[in-house]
Amino acid sequence: MENGMLIKTTDLTKVYPMGGQSITALDKVNLSFAKGEFAGLVGPSGSGKTTLLNILGSLDVPTRGSAEVLGEKIETLTHRKAAELRNHHIGFIFQTFNLLPVYTVYENVEFPLLLLGMAPAARRRAVLAALEWVHLSDRARSRPAQLSGGQCQRVAIARAVVKKPDLVLADEPTANLDAENSHHILHTMADINRDLGTTFLFSTHDDKVISHLRRKITLIDGRVAKDEPGPAAEKRP
Amino acid sequence: MIIPKLALRNMLGAGIKTWLNAAVLSMAFVTIIGAQGLYRGWDADISRIMTAAEYGGGQYWVKGFDPYDPFTLQDAHAAVPPALTERVEAGKATALLYVPATIYPGGRIRSVVLKGIEPGQKALEFPSSALAGSGAELPALIGNRMAKAAGLAKGDTVTARWRDARGSYDARDLTIVEVMRTSVQSIDEGQIWMPLQTLRKMAGMPGEATMVTLAKDIPAPGAIPGWDFKGLDLLLKDIRDLIAAKQIGGSIVYVILMFLAMLAVFDTQLLSIWRRRKEIGTMMAMGVTRGRAVALFTLEGGLNGVFAALLGAVWGIPLLAYFAKHGMTFTSEQADSFGMAVDKGIFPVYGAGLVLGTTFLVFAVTLIVSYLPARKISRLKATDALRGRMS
Ligand SMILES: Nc1ncnc2c1ncn2[C@@H]1O[C@H](COP(=O)(O)OP(=O)(O)OP(=O)(O)O)[C@@H](O)[C@H]1O
Ligand SMILES: [Mg+2]
């Protein structure tokens, strides 16, 4: 992989069998992402955005072609290796927040660090720092049900970035949020991207998200239709 | 150590649901320990009182005597051998003579066994002293069950007819000098106790006996020709088999209880995995392997057993301790319906083995029942789980 490249896909193809037929969700996608990018996948519904994020996040495997993420070929990873890659290097943010409902905010953010086996003192520092980034230090003891949607998503961001991953994959992170919260979330992520150098890759329909992107990739029918600098490209750090 | 920690967090987080399952399971828990303790206490109790009143330290039976075959009774008598006489005289044993007879209480006919016992004997905890000093020519002692069945009371006389050693019939009136209350049916029903020497004279069997019972803890003097030694293990075997049979009958109740509790756990687990599939997907996205997810959910279910043990301890220990201290009391009718001796009350015995064994059983079964639905996760794709689907 070229120097500084975090992700590289080569003729990445995903075909879902559907009864007798099959659906080509991704069709020979060739994309590379460098460290520190703040990029988004846009495109109509069903164009393959989620499928691509899932494969890059090692939650799914390509049917053909290759996806190399942090030097690992996703198509060759065992289940255990894939889990390890996610655990150490990748954070996920979901449209529906996906917080663990019985855990407090603090415990939700702590979860990935527990999996990493981090020592208690370091863990505590990291969780408090992450809550600081998303401005939720005062809600550490709350449970998800007691928070607004915007606050939930901020907890999810804290959970995704608390282990300082190389890559954060966010699938429509603002789809369930109002305009103000969406901007707030995007600012938070842009700040983390700037301060920690974390690479962010979004999928989105949302113009508010698009306006923050420094790179915008348009997928149509599983193909890369356009790959252009985004509206925020000039803000490149 | 992370999985147990997360499992505990999840279960405590689930709140009331967790405690409801634990409550059901704790009932099974306490019932099993309670019932088993009761049977053990009963067994210990019966062994104790039957040993004290009847079996002593074991019995020598004259050859050919079979308590289950009344036809052997007529000839089951022989002179007490010197080795045993010695012990009888030292108060370390007592000789008993059995003579089959019929009595005619209230004009009806009943078969009984006349049993001769030395009124002054000390080998058994048996109220034989009541037979001494009554002044009656043929004093007789009966148990409360026999008194009730034959309609006899203290001071009554009853005609008895028996065959003596030469085979000729004789009949005399016996005087009931005492009705003893006893919890041991086998020294009560169908028998009339008389002074040994009186019975020997009546039957024409001087110096003879059907059996010689050793006092408690007196070792058997060894093989004696013409006599068979029956140790306590053998004598108590029937009663213990009976208790074991009742124990098995009783265990059906806790099989049902366990089944219900396990059904509740299984159901909760199945539902929980279905409801939390998105959560499982999220955990997988964060790097939890399927194996660890299965372990997590299995352990969560298994914790039901731990919570049940805790909850069971909270209400079960005081309850069981109460019964252990005060005993479970039965009326004499209830006691007889058990078909065997029940003293004033049964004092349950809960051994460490019983408690640990039951705990282990409950834990093991809970883990298995939790594992079965959790296995589903090992076939779950993270992407499907995240989309809220389950393959
Ligand atoms: N598990 C699956 N089984 C079968 N087909 C699937 C599966 N997942 C996705 N698809 C199909 O693959 C195509 C791409 O889906 P994908 O979810 O990646 O689209 P998307 O761009 O994320 O759409 P949206 O904007 O609606 O989220 C769609 O046609 C979809 O129906
Ligand atoms: Mg999508």
Side-chain angles (χ1 to χ4, degrees), chain A residues 14 16-18 23-26 43-52 54 60 95 171-172 203-205 219, chain B residues 381 383-384 387 389:
Chain A
K14 181 72 183 180
Y16 289 112
M18 276 290 274
I23 294 172
T24 306
L26 293 174
S45 183
S47 56
K49 304 182 294 292
T50 299
T51 304
L52 181 55
N54 282 345
D60 209 347
Q95 178 180 338
D171 194 1
E172 313 207 23
S203 88
T204 189
H205 294 285
L219 287 183
Chain B
K381 284 178 68 180
T383 48
D384 285 340
R387 283 154 58 111
R389 292 201 315 201

Side-chain angles (χ1 to χ4, degrees), chain A residues 54 59-60 79-80 83 86-87 90 92 94 96 98 100-103 107 110-112 114-115 123 159 163, chain B residues 2 5-7 9-10 13-14 278-279 281-292 381-383 386:
Chain A
N54 282 345
L59 290 171
D60 209 347
H79 173 75
R80 185 181 291 275
R86 293 194 295 272
N87 191 4
I90 303 175
F92 285 87
F94 306 93
T96 50
N98 293 21
L100 305 179
V102 303
Y103 292 5
E107 289 167 341
E110 187 189 26
F111 191 94
L114 284 173
L115 288 182
R123 205 164 67 209
R159 180 177 68 180
K163 62 192 177 192
Chain B
I2 152 108
K5 182 172 176 163
L6 294 178
R9 232 179 227 187
N10 287 341
K278 214 166 165 179
E279 207 177 299
T282 309
M283 288 185 192
M284 286 177 168
M286 287 192 276
V288 176
T289 58
R290 290 193 193 111
R292 280 180 117 181
K381 284 178 68 180
T383 48
L386 280 168

Side-chain angles (χ1 to χ4, degrees), chain A residues 99 104-111 113 123-142 147 151-164 184 188 192 196:
Chain A
L99 299 179
T104 62
V105 165
Y106 184 95
E107 289 167 341
N108 263 285
V109 177
E110 187 189 26
F111 191 94
L113 304 182
R123 205 164 67 209
R124 189 171 167 75
R125 267 198 307 277
V127 173
L128 293 177
L131 287 173
E132 192 92 10
W133 293 330
V134 297
H135 309 291
L136 277 175
S137 303
D138 54 332
R139 301 309 298 268
R141 290 160 166 283
S142 305
L147 301 179
Q151 288 171 322
C152 281
Q153 198 60 306
R154 273 147 64 197
V155 176
I157 293 170
R159 180 177 68 180
V161 300
V162 68
K163 62 192 177 192
K164 304 203 174 143
H184 192 139
T188 305
I192 291 166
L196 301 179

